[in-house]
């Protein structure tokens, strides 16, 4: 028997899934992302599997789509429509493959299956019926048995043929989709008219197709890909691959990126290729669909109540999932700023297991009303650090705890006093010399964007500080081999390697020096801008507030921070000591005029052949400017796989988005 708290959780989760399912399938007005909805359904399914007695008769975990709208004439499907089950990892794919083969063996089938892999288009399913080659009916999937008659809308979609190239009877199934650039155009019009914009391309495609006025549908340039034949009057095709070829010959639009796979390894290769190319496609995909290729084997495998056994959707790593905030703790940064961090129930998102996420500051927590115990939507995509983007307040039980910023934090050192920075949402330690803060500063100083000392990481910094080997940045360059050999876990070779790395780091660029000094508000791009403009450390040291503030990308707050840092007595003493050991290399910022001159680039997602730093280096070396955020002044957004919010920002602002290959073409 399920515990009472589990029963209550199931009922709340059931209600939440039903609510969001109706918003998604029936009203085309989702309040959470598709991935967050999938995560809720998956959690509901896990509870039903663990406690079967909780499962209700009309559970959403066994339901196909949604109820047909009363605004449209209802249509009973001649062939029942199903949705595919999902797998979310290679291990789950392997298990599905094994299950297919076990079922076939049980049925006495000796033939081993091959598979047809296709892109999973994120749109709205459409069922098309033709008599003697003429379109007579188009319908939505609905609940799988009854859909909506949308023939009037389908007739104005150019890629849906009104007459086929052969006069046959056929029921064909596919996906109606909308291009990303078309979504941008439509949303601009909606904003001008004071209407709420569409959330995504799937939402827009569904809303455009399910219009009573076909003229509205016609104005939105919908497209289709047809991928299945449910029924045909001519000879049936023996394989899924041949079925796609038949559809193309009849005049349907068929996605060209399908492939025959002999087994799981081929499927995984296809999946990774699709994941890489997704950002360069004009339509949105959220995974790949795998079907047993042989039609005879498909018939042997059959269906469950909800899904075909012969196919599965292999979903891309979720960029958004749901999880629970188990605690909120504070983290001390190198400048003394206190950052609240959510400790989460571990969850797999964006290709990695995540158990922590930044909550930024006190105002962020207050604006979202995040409480300990809340179920939240967690996001991680491409270059996006895991962050909480939404609280599912309907799932609250009343036991959630409101979190408030403390007045004293032990990690700050001293008496632990903290204060809120005037005019900002940030809180800081009053005492600036705590061990934790000092450790963070050293970690930043030796990091890859600053002095980049290979072999000197977080653990080594901690040991050096604890053993009194270092007390300021300059001490790093006085470390001897004897110092290292006196410490645990240092042998001859590792000591020699670290001494070599330290020696190499004694020559540093002006920008890297500025980054390493931990000047508040000065990040990588700002440091480069300042170094490019002033060219020497001496000029930066003597620069006025006005001169600093005049730089693009600096502004009043950063200018004040830089100005004050170089006039602080302790900082002057530190810098003087550091320059005894370190040589600031003269760097020429006079760049040749190229196609990148004067162009501003923003990088998002994971690039296939270049690291983020390599791409930035190429842009700067060819006269371009790298920015960390998208604005109307951005020339290009270079998008890799799993792009983050910068991709959406670029679409909203109409900034040109290019793939990695297009970026390389510009360079060449």
């Amino acid at each position: 028997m399920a515990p009472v708290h589990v029963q209550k959780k199931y009922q709340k989760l059931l209600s939440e899934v039903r609510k969001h399912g109706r918003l998604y399938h029936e009203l085309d007005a989702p309040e959470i992302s598709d991935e967050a909805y999938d995560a809720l359904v998956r959690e509901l399914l896990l509870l039903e599997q663990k406690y079967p007695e909780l499962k209700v008769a009309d559970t959403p975990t066994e339901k196909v789509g949604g109820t047909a709208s009363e605004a449209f004439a209802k249509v009973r499907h001649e062939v029942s429509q199903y949705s595919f089950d999902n797998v979310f990892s290679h291990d789950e794919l392997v298990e599905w493959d094994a299950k297919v083969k076990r079922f076939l063996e049980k049925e006495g089938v000796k033939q081993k299956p091959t598979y047809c892999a296709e892109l999973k288009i994120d749109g709205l399913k459409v069922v098309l019926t033709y008599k003697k080659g003429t379109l007579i009916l188009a319908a939505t999937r609905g609940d799988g048995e009854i859909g909506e008659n949308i023939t009037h809308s389908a007739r104005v979609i150019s890629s849906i043929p009104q007459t086929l190239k052969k006069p046959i009877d056929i029921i064909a199934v596919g996906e109606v989709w909308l291009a990303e650039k078309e979504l941008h155009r439509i949303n601009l019009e909606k904003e001008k008219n004071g209407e709420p914009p569409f959330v995504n391309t799937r939402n827009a495609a569904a809303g455009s197709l399910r219009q009573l006025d076909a003229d509205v549908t016609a104005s939105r340039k919908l497209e289709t890909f047809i991928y299945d034949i449910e029924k045909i009057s001519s000879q049936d095709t023996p394989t899924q691959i041949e079925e796609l070829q038949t559809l193309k010959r009849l005049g349907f639009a068929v996605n060209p990126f399908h492939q025959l796979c002999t087994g799981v390894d081929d499927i995984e290769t296809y999946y990774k290729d699709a994941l890489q190319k997704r950002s360069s496609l004009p339509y949105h995909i959220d995974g790949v669909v795998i079907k047993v290729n042989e039609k005879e084997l498909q018939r042997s495998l059959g269906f469950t109540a909800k899904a075909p056994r012969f196919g599965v959707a292999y979903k891309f790593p979720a960029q958004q999932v749901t999880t629970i905030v188990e605690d909120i703790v504070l983290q001390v940064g190198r400048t003394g700023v206190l950052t609240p961090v959510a400790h989460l129930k571990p969850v797999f998102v964006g290709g990695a297991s995540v158990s922590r996420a930044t909550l930024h500051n006190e105002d962020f927590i207050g604006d979202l009303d995040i409480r300990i115990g809340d179920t939240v939507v967690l996001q991680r995509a491409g270059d996006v650090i895991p962050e909480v983007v939404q609280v599912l307040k309907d799932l609250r039980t009343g036991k959630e705890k409101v979190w408030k910023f403390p007045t004293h934090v032990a990690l700050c050192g001293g008496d632990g006093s903290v204060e809120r920075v005037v005019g900002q949402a940030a809180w800081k330690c009053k005492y600036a010399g705590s061990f934790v803060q000092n450790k963070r500063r050293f970690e930043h100083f030796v990091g890859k964007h600053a002095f980049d000392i290979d072999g000197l990481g977080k653990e080594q910094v901690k040991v050096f500080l604890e053993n009194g080997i270092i007390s300021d940045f300059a001490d790093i360059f006085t470390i001897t081999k004897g110092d290292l050999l006196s410490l645990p876990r240092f042998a001859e070779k590792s000591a020699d390697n670290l001494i070599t790395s330290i020696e190499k780091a004694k020559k540093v660029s002006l920008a890297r020096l500025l980054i390493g000094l931990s000047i508040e508000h000065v990040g990588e791009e700002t440091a480069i801008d300042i170094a490019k403009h002033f060219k020497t450390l001496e000029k930066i040291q003597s620069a006025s507030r006005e001169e600093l503030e005049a730089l693009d990308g600096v502004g009043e707050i950063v200018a004040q921070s830089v100005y004050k840092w170089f006039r602080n007595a302790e900082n002057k003493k530190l810098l003087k000591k550091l320059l005894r050991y370190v040589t600031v290399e003269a760097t020429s910022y006079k760049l040749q005029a190229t196609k990148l001159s004067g162009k501003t680039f923003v990088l998002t997602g994971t690039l296939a052949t270049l690291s983020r730093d390599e791409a930035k280096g190429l842009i700067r070396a060819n006269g371009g400017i790298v920015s960390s955020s998208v604005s109307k002044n951005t020339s290009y957004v270079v998008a890799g796989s799993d792009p983050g919010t910068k991709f959406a920002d670029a679409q909203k602002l109409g900034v040109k988005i290019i793939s990695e290959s297009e970026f390389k073409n510009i360079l060449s």
Side-chain angles (χ1 to χ4, degrees), residues 84 96 100 290-292 297-298 301-303 308-312:
F84 286 99
W96 174 78
V100 166
I290 314 301
K291 301 171 190 169
V292 170
L297 298 187
Q298 286 189 12
L301 287 160
F303 298 81
R309 293 191 184 92
F310 56 79
V312 74

Side-chain angles (χ1 to χ4, degrees), residues 317-522:
Q319 296 175 13
Q320 286 193 345
V321 295
T322 58
T323 187
I324 295 170
V325 178
E326 296 182 332
D327 199 3
I328 298 175
V329 299
L330 288 169
Q331 182 175 288
V332 181
R334 58 192 169 89
T335 62
V337 171
L338 293 159
T339 303
V341 176
H343 284 206
L344 307 165
K345 182 179 179 182
V347 63
F348 205 75
V349 56
S353 179
V354 173
S355 58
R356 296 186 182 190
T358 178
L359 298 181
H360 303 291
N361 53 53
E362 182 182 30
D363 290 358
F364 180 84
I365 294 173
D367 290 344
L368 287 185
D369 189 18
I370 301 169
R371 304 178 185 183
I372 296 170
D374 269 339
T375 298
V376 296
V377 176
L378 181 72
Q379 175 172 286
R380 182 181 183 273
D383 55 338
V384 176
I385 297 169
E387 65 173 343
V388 172
V389 295
Q390 189 177 355
V391 177
L392 301 180
K393 296 178 182 178
D394 288 347
L395 288 177
R396 283 179 174 165
T397 63
K399 294 182 179 180
E400 294 76 18
K401 297 178 183 177
V402 175
W403 184 86
K404 291 185 178 180
F405 225 100
T407 57
H408 289 76
V409 177
L411 287 175
C412 285
D415 66 356
S417 296
V418 299
E419 60 184 353
R420 180 155 172 160
V421 181
V422 178
Q424 297 181 36
W427 284 75
K428 289 185 71 173
C429 301
K430 285 187 177 180
Y431 174 62
S434 72
F435 179 85
V436 174
Q437 190 176 340
N438 207 24
K439 179 173 173 286
R440 299 274 190 218
R441 280 196 289 260
F442 273 99
E443 289 169 358
H444 181 75
F445 182 85
V446 302
K448 68 175 184 176
H449 294 300
F451 278 71
D452 193 19
I453 303 178
D454 190 32
L456 185 47
K458 293 181 179 180
E459 287 303 313
Q460 289 79 14
V461 164
K462 183 171 181 277
V463 170
F464 291 169
L465 286 169
E466 288 173 339
N467 287 272
I469 303 292
I470 56 177
S471 60
D472 62 37
F473 297 150
D475 288 342
I476 292 172
F477 301 98
T478 67
I479 293 173
T480 65
K481 184 175 177 180
D483 292 332
L484 298 178
L485 293 177
S486 69
L487 299 172
R489 289 184 289 183
F490 266 103
E492 289 276 343
K493 187 175 181 181
S494 57
D496 285 337
N497 288 342
L498 182 51
I499 293 296
T500 300
S501 294
I502 291 172
E503 194 63 32
K504 182 181 176 183
K506 286 182 178 179
K507 290 184 178 180
V508 67
S509 71
L510 178 55
R512 284 181 176 272
L513 172 68
L514 294 175
I515 294 166
L517 293 176
S518 283
I519 303 170
E520 194 167 8
H521 304 302
V522 175

Side-chain angles (χ1 to χ4, degrees), residues 544-563:
S544 66
R545 286 188 183 90
E546 292 74 22
E547 287 176 304
L548 288 162
E549 195 175 331
L551 266 71
D552 284 341
V554 173
E556 183 181 351
I557 292 174
V558 178
Q560 173 75 355
S561 179
V562 174
Y563 181 83

Side-chain angles (χ1 to χ4, degrees), residues 195-210:
E195 301 171 352
F198 287 120
V199 176
N200 51 43
T201 52
R202 191 266 171 204
N203 174 226
S208 301
L209 186 63
R210 299 167 76 188

